[in-house]
Amino acid sequence: MRMLADVLTALVAALHVYFLALEMFFWNHPRGRKIFGTTPEFAVASKSLAANQGLYNGFLAAGLVWGLWLGVGGTAVKVFFLCCVVIAGVYGAYSVNRRILFVQAAPAALALSLLLMS
């Protein structure tokens, strides 16, 4: 079960690297605007805010990778960062778009549950 928890944790980390790329580098491109449902004008006006948000997603990914790198000794690190992802995902679903609950919070909650059961 620990291996499955680690695979899911790595998937959550990879998702956050993807979010970082979308928010920091592709926010103002057609693909980013399509994914986030923004207009060209809004994307230009909010580009620096999105980049800042992308940086935070990068920190979440780095924390999860750090926990994975530590192995069994990184359990507390993984729990902390997975909790951060779940909380951010729930808040994002509440305040921005319900889809965030399924894209961000659910995979992290599943990884956290498996980690705690292992």
Side-chain angles (χ1 to χ4, degrees):
M1 190 163 324
R2 170 142 328 245
M3 180 182 282
L4 183 56
D6 283 348
V7 167
L8 283 173
T9 300
L11 173 67
V12 172
L15 281 170
H16 280 76
V17 170
Y18 177 66
F19 301 154
L20 173 148
L22 284 173
E23 293 166 346
M24 291 189 81
F25 307 115
F26 298 104
W27 183 257
N28 198 24
H29 291 85
R31 179 178 181 166
R33 290 195 312 267
K34 181 179 179 186
I35 288 170
F36 292 106
T38 60
T39 64
E41 298 79 21
F42 179 82
V44 168
S46 59
K47 186 176 181 178
S48 63
L49 292 173
N52 189 46
Q53 185 171 303
L55 185 61
Y56 282 97
N57 279 309
F59 289 138
L60 291 172
L64 292 170
V65 170
W66 176 38
L68 289 167
W69 180 75
L70 291 171
V72 176
T75 299
V77 173
K78 290 182 276 190
V79 167
F80 173 78
F81 281 98
L82 287 168
C83 284
C84 289
V85 171
V86 170
I87 292 166
V90 168
Y91 183 74
Y94 166 76
S95 63
V96 178
N97 187 320
R98 185 170 292 198
R99 179 177 58 158
I100 296 171
L101 187 65
F102 303 103
V103 174
Q104 182 176 355
L110 182 57
L112 179 62
S113 297
L114 290 173
L115 181 62
L116 293 174
M117 288 190 296
S118 66

